[in-house]
């Protein structure tokens, strides 16, 4: 037998590296090539705050309608700041790669807890959910958060009570969303029977890292260690988001249905029954994680926090495992009549998804159209903001600008390269009108963009047009516009 080259990776190890890389890069590339992208409101603010930190100034966490600051998202965004206008593409690529990683991790969790085919079915479900990959296409950090949680589930599934490695991922998750705090604390307590007091104290200390770092950053920037809690509650009230506790049960189920869609929702009870019927102890782990995360979501309104669909994306990913069980769980059974019966159940459940494909394709097409329209609108706004004449007028008028409504405010500040506090909005009268204002034109594209919330700011007749295009208009005070 010929000897292998010293130091060369074994064929099995090479396959173990190449396959996940192929999935991660393949999924990310398909989405990058197949759909338009743009950076969402929260991610734009994270990039702005990262630029502030990079430039050595205090981030404007208290800007008009500012979203919740998520420490890890801001810190990672610092890496993209030196690339200027290419920072958008870098951040979107990072999230798309996270989505590819999420698809691979869900396969590995299904394979580890149940069967390879359960993992394959679950991964296909996750990869094809429009709500999930739309979040990735516009740069939402929830995709990276899901990777951290599902990765922690995978580590615990492979070796129960693993300890520090699992908590390490939960620390990363806790720097993106507070559900990571609850999971980290409960996991540290879960570890108690398996270790002595020195390790217990170390694990409890690790569980406190994320909330303490988050509070420290809020305190350093605003002087209020609970700024994120207060700011999120205030923003939810300002934009009239759902935040009543009695609404939580209905909207939890509604959001699960929106993410997973009809065939998956129909298959979930069957998968859950299969897990209960055959006493699958491995099913307890994902169910506990789902339960904790849903509990945090439903408790949030008691503290004034909003009910937002993105907050149940990660529990939806873990619930998809039970659709995988409904379709392929029969492979766990011994040959015989029972296995044959469950095989036919799996075929019927999979048949619902196959029959739903035409509706699914239409949903994806509608989403593609919506992404394309929004990406074009933001690209036009970028061209207007970066026009030399507009930039010259803004500089002459005091390096401040008003936005007709809050959603375009952070984008204007980024593209005009303005300092903290220099971009505000006249929406709901939260800030006074500056000497320059950017407004949408009343075109069909912009009416579709704003739907029933088209802004109508009160602009003095002394303001004159200094730039814009088909869909955007820039007006400035006549004295400084000359």
């Amino acid at each position: 037998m010929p000897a292998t080259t010293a130091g060369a990776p074994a064929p099995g190890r090479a396959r173990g590296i190449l396959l996940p890389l192929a999935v991660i890069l393949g999924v990310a590339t398909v989405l990058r090539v197949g759909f338009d992208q743009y950076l969402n409101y929260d991610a734009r603010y994270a990039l702005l705050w990262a630029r502030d930190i990079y430039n050595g100034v205090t981030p404007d966490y208290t800007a008009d309608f500012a979203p919740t600051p998520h420490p890890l998202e801001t810190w990672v965004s610092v890496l993209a700041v030196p690339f200027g206008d290419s920072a958008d593409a870098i951040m979107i690529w990072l999230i798309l790669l996270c989505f590819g990683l999420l698809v691979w991790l869900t396969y590995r969790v299904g394979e580890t807890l149940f069967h390879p085919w359960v993992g394959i079915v679950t991964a296909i479900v996750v990869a094809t959910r429009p709500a999930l990959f739309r979040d990735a296409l516009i740069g939402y950090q929830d995709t990276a958060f899901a990777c951290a949680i599902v990765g922690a589930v995978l580590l615990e599934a492979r070796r129960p009570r693993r300890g520090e490695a699992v908590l390490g991922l939960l620390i990363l998750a806790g720097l993106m969303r507070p559900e990571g705090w609850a999971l980290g604390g409960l996991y540290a307590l879960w570890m108690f029977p398996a270790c002595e007091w020195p390790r217990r104290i170390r694990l409890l200390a690790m569980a406190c890292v994320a909330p303490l770092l988050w509070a420290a950053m809020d305190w350093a920037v605003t002087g209020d260690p609970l700024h994120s809690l207060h700011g999120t509650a205030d923003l939810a009230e300002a934009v009239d988001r759902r935040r009543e506790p009695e609404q939580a049960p209905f909207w939890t189920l509604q959001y699960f249905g929106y993410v997973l869609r009809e065939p998956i929702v129909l298959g979930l009870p069957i998968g859950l029954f299969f897990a209960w019927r055959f006493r699958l102890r491995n099913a307890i782990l994902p169910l506990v994680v789902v339960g904790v995360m849903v509990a945090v979501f439903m408790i949030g309104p008691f503290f004034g926090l909003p009910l937002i669909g993105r907050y149940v994306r990660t529990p939806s990913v873990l619930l998809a495992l039970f659709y995988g069980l409904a379709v392929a769980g029969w492979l766990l059974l011994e040959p015989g009549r029972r296995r044959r019966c469950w095989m036919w159940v799996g075929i019927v459940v999979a048949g619902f998804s196959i029959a739903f494909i035409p509706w699914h394709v239409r949903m994806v097409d509608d989403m593609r159209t919506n992404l394309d329209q929004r990406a074009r609108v933001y690209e036009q706004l970028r061209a207007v903001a970066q026009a030399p004449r507009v930039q010259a007028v803004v500089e002459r008028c005091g390096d401040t600008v008003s936005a007709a409504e809050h959603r375009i405010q952070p984008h204007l500040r980024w593209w005009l390269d303005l300092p903290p506090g220099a971009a505000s909005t006249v929406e709901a009268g939260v800030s006074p009108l500056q000497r320059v204002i950017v407004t949408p034109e009343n075109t069909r594209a912009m009416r579709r963009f704003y739907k029933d919330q088209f802004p109508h700011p009160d602009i003095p007749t002394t303001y004159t047009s200094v730039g814009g295009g088909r869909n955007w208009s820039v007006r400035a005070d006549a004295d400084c516009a000359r």
Side-chain angles (χ1 to χ4, degrees), residues 3-4 41 57 65 103 105 107 196-197 203 218 262 269 271 273 316 324 384 387 416 420 477:
T4 58
Y41 184 77
V57 298
F65 295 96
V103 172
L105 289 174
Y107 159 71
E196 300 299 326
W197 273 108
L203 293 171
D218 277 1
E262 292 80 351
F273 175 77
S316 299
V384 167
L416 287 167
D477 178 83

Side-chain angles (χ1 to χ4, degrees), residues 248-439:
F250 171 80
W251 284 105
T252 300
L253 295 175
Q254 189 84 345
Y255 289 146
F256 276 135
Y258 174 73
V259 176
L260 296 172
R261 309 309 307 186
E262 292 80 351
I264 312 303
V265 171
L266 289 174
L268 285 182
I270 297 172
L272 290 167
F273 175 77
F274 182 92
W276 172 82
R277 173 67 180 82
F278 297 106
R279 304 294 187 268
L280 300 182
R281 294 187 62 185
N282 286 348
I284 295 174
L285 175 60
L287 284 177
V288 167
V289 175
V290 168
V292 171
M293 298 186 75
V294 169
V296 172
F297 175 73
M298 296 179 71
I299 290 170
F302 288 98
F303 297 93
L305 301 180
L307 299 167
I308 297 177
R310 287 184 291 105
Y311 297 172
V312 298
R313 299 289 201 256
T314 303
S316 299
V317 169
L318 293 172
L319 279 180
L321 288 165
F322 295 92
Y323 177 81
L325 266 182
V327 172
W330 59 273
L331 292 166
L332 297 168
L333 304 178
E334 296 294 330
R337 181 174 174 273
R338 190 166 56 179
R339 177 177 167 129
R340 288 194 299 273
C341 288
W342 277 101
M343 180 186 71
W344 283 108
V345 169
I347 290 172
V348 171
V349 171
F352 286 135
S353 288
I354 294 171
F356 192 75
I357 286 176
W359 286 271
H360 191 91
V361 170
R362 279 199 289 272
M363 283 192 299
V364 173
D365 286 341
D366 290 344
M367 189 199 70
R368 179 185 284 108
T369 301
N370 181 269
L371 281 172
D372 176 66
Q373 292 169 346
R374 288 182 172 271
R376 287 172 184 263
V377 164
Y378 282 118
E379 187 61 34
Q380 291 163 358
L381 179 63
R382 172 181 173 177
V384 167
Q386 293 184 333
R389 185 187 179 198
V390 170
Q391 296 207 337
V393 168
V394 170
E395 182 179 359
R396 204 160 53 238
C397 293
D399 273 332
T400 59
V401 64
S402 287
E405 55 86 31
H406 72 278
R407 280 174 293 181
I408 64 172
Q409 175 187 329
H411 300 285
L412 288 174
R413 193 190 145 206
W414 175 263
W415 289 321
L416 287 167
D417 195 19
L418 298 175
S424 58
T425 179
V426 296
E427 182 179 343
V430 296
S431 286
L433 176 65
Q434 303 297 325
R435 302 186 76 182
V436 179
I437 183 170
V438 180
T439 61

Side-chain angles (χ1 to χ4, degrees), residues 58 62 85 89 120 158 167 178 235 256 316 331 398 416 432 450 460 465:
T58 303
T62 56
D85 284 345
I120 290 171
R158 295 180 65 182
L167 267 174
L235 180 61
F256 276 135
S316 299
L331 292 166
L416 287 167
Y450 283 105
S465 176

